[in-house]
């Protein structure tokens, strides 16, 4: 997508799982950042599995945490502190493009440890940073030209 950040993290043999969207808004009036996360497709919870609400919540927290990390990265790239509000544009866009995340976790993911959760967030952030570097280097990073 040219107007969205898209990342997919899955443990389900290539299946996207649930598709969640996070819009980030900043207010220079009260110096706040708001993360609005909503599920667009699927819940990622099989009807036979218990703990469905908790699994949905884990996915939403995962997407929010990832968005927080991307916002911090964006602020650093603008040369400001991690807590500085960038404000966004008058059209309501935030400091980052809308974040679209495919999350496909194995059933029972509501029992994730804090360490496992952080490993997933770190892996997603690494994917984002790799894409960011390629995008800002002209898209030819690591590619060889004809001899």
């Amino acid at each position: 997508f040219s107007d969205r950040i898209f990342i997919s993290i899955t443990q389900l043999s290539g299946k996207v799982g649930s598709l969640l969207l996070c819009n980030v808004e900043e207010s220079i009036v009260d110096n706040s950042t708001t993360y609005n996360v909503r599920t667009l497709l699927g819940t990622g919870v099989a009807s036979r599995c218990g703990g469905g609400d908790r699994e949905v919540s884990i996915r939403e927290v995962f997407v929010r945490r990832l968005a927080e990390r991307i916002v911090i990265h964006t602020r650093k790239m603008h040369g400001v502190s991690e807590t500085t509000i960038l404000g966004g544009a008058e059209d309501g866009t935030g400091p980052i493009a809308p974040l679209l995340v495919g999350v496909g976790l194995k059933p029972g993911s509501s029992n994730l440890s804090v360490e496992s959760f952080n490993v997933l967030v770190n892996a997603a952030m690494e994917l984002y940073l790799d894409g960011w570097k390629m995008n800002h280097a002209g898209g030819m990073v690591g590619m060889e030209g004809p001899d």
Side-chain angles (χ1 to χ4, degrees), residues 23-95:
N23 290 300
V24 181
E25 299 172 5
E26 291 184 330
S27 171
I28 57 174
V29 174
D30 63 357
N31 201 35
S32 66
T33 304
T34 304
Y35 299 86
N36 183 3
V37 179
R38 63 187 171 116
T39 302
L40 299 179
L41 179 68
T43 61
V45 179
S47 59
R48 67 185 182 280
C49 295
D53 289 340
R54 182 169 163 85
E55 288 192 27
V56 170
S57 295
I58 294 260
R59 286 165 176 74
E60 290 175 355
V61 170
F62 170 78
V63 171
R64 180 192 166 122
R65 183 66 187 123
L66 180 58
E68 289 171 346
R69 298 263 312 263
I70 292 172
V71 167
I72 289 169
H73 174 263
T74 300
R75 290 174 179 157
K76 286 180 180 176
M77 293 301 103
H78 279 88
V80 298
S81 77
E82 293 181 4
T83 57
T84 300
I85 300 296
L86 297 174
E90 290 181 13
D91 64 359
T93 58

Side-chain angles (χ1 to χ4, degrees), residues 71-147:
V71 167
I72 289 169
H73 174 263
T74 300
R75 290 174 179 157
K76 286 180 180 176
M77 293 301 103
H78 279 88
V80 298
S81 77
E82 293 181 4
T83 57
T84 300
I85 300 296
L86 297 174
E90 290 181 13
D91 64 359
T93 58
I96 64 170
L99 177 61
L100 187 60
V101 183
V103 183
L105 301 178
K106 291 179 181 175
S109 62
S110 62
N111 297 325
L112 277 177
S113 68
V114 172
E115 293 81 17
S116 296
F117 180 85
N118 288 331
V119 165
L120 287 173
V121 172
N122 290 340
M125 191 62 192
E126 284 181 32
L127 288 173
Y128 169 77
L129 291 173
D130 288 347
W132 186 89
K133 287 173 189 171
M134 285 187 357
N135 185 45
H136 288 83
M140 298 299 288
V141 172
M143 301 180 80
E144 294 185 26
D147 290 338

Side-chain angles (χ1 to χ4, degrees), residues 8-17 104-107:
S8 181
I9 297 290
T10 184
Q11 298 173 318
L12 304 174
S13 299
K15 296 179 184 175
V16 173
L105 301 178
K106 291 179 181 175

